[in-house]
Amino acid sequence: MKSYFNKMNLKNIAILFTLIIAAACTIPEEKKSNVNKNDAVFNDIELNSFQLSTEKDHVKIISIGHIHSLMVFDSLRAQLYKEISEAKPDILILTGDLVFYNDSLEWTKLKANLATLDFPYFITPGNHDIGYYHDEEKGNRSTRQDAIDFYMKQVGYQYKKIETPYADILLFNSNDKKERILAFDKLHKRSNNKQRIIMHHHDDHQLPTALDLTQVESHLLVVGYGLRTLII
């Protein structure tokens, strides 16, 4: 398996990551939180895998995350999605922190950007996507479940399995309880010789759960910070 950085417009990417780094300095630390009512219940969208068929000898995947600062820069955000589209991936994986405040206006803007794409895309949530930032920056987690419910109305899932001819990709909600993450992993244990790619939002040291990712079998782990192009 090879991994390449996508050769996008360097000026735009430099601006993008300057904004991301500035925003990261002001984001309060995510605390451990029981964020779901049920420990191991998944809906039909989460249980049903997406199957990608291709006659090519490879699959091109772009992943990008932690871009919530772009919510206030409409033209730069539109340019980012335009350049991703021009790169012609087979799949786009959005690895969390796509919106800042998790409100209707931001999701309307994001959906308008995603509607310009002509290839499948999938989302794994970051803490900004499933929390109300106005509350959580004050340390108030009492609205977290309401925020998750709002996210689910926008996206419909927190977990997903994507099957390609060359690798299976599992998307986790790394904000979630350890029990739910491991339950989803157990549902989709490796049953063939294909490689297994795990994608979620947080770096290992930032996981809000007590999850040890060595408990999850993977050949490649991709987290939400930055932009990557994978050729599998």
Side-chain angles (χ1 to χ4, degrees), residues 61-169:
I61 304 167
I62 290 180
S63 73
I64 189 167
H66 207 72
I67 54 175
H68 50 302
S69 300
L70 294 182
M71 277 292 118
V72 295
F73 298 95
D74 292 349
S75 60
L76 183 57
R77 192 180 64 256
Q79 181 66 22
L80 172 65
Y81 285 101
K82 178 176 181 291
E83 294 189 11
I84 288 175
S85 185
E86 290 172 351
K88 300 185 184 303
D90 296 296
I91 304 174
L92 171 64
I93 308 294
L94 298 140
T95 50
D97 278 3
L98 310 178
V99 297
F100 206 105
Y101 295 109
N102 189 22
D103 61 25
S104 296
L105 177 60
E106 289 185 330
W107 282 105
T108 297
K109 289 182 177 182
L110 178 60
K111 288 177 181 180
N113 294 133
L114 295 174
T116 66
L117 306 178
D118 60 358
F119 42 79
Y121 61 84
F122 299 92
I123 295 172
T124 178
N127 46 292
H128 278 265
D129 308 319
I130 60 167
Y132 290 142
Y133 187 74
H134 288 298
D135 292 329
E136 302 209 2
E137 67 178 338
K138 300 173 185 176
N140 177 11
R141 301 295 192 268
S142 65
T143 58
R144 173 60 72 92
Q145 188 59 52
D146 289 340
I148 293 173
D149 292 343
F150 183 74
Y151 167 87
M152 290 295 285
K153 289 179 181 178
Q154 310 306 314
V155 179
Y157 58 91
Q158 300 175 54
Y159 294 80
K160 194 69 179 174
K161 181 181 180 183
I162 303 162
E163 298 181 16
T164 80
Y166 312 112
D168 290 337
I169 305 165

Side-chain angles (χ1 to χ4, degrees), residues 166-181:
Y166 312 112
D168 290 337
I169 305 165
L170 267 63
L171 307 184
F172 288 166
N173 172 11
S174 59
N175 305 272
D176 210 343
K177 290 182 180 181
K178 170 183 176 180
E179 291 78 13
R180 273 176 54 86
I181 295 174

Side-chain angles (χ1 to χ4, degrees), residues 14-27 66 68-69 73 100 133:
I15 293 171
L16 168 65
F17 285 103
T18 299
L19 293 168
I20 289 171
I21 292 168
C25 294
T26 64
I27 297 171
H66 207 72
H68 50 302
S69 300
F73 298 95
F100 206 105
Y133 187 74

Side-chain angles (χ1 to χ4, degrees), residues 10-58:
L10 294 180
K11 181 179 179 181
N12 285 341
I13 297 301
I15 293 171
L16 168 65
F17 285 103
T18 299
L19 293 168
I20 289 171
I21 292 168
C25 294
T26 64
I27 297 171
E29 182 181 356
E30 179 71 3
K31 299 179 182 178
K32 293 181 181 180
S33 176
N34 293 336
V35 300
N36 279 293
K37 296 174 182 176
N38 301 310
D39 284 346
V41 177
F42 303 98
N43 65 28
D44 288 343
I45 299 175
E46 294 167 329
L47 292 174
N48 293 325
S49 302
F50 174 83
Q51 297 188 356
L52 177 73
S53 298
T54 180
E55 296 181 356
K56 298 188 298 183
D57 63 357
H58 67 277

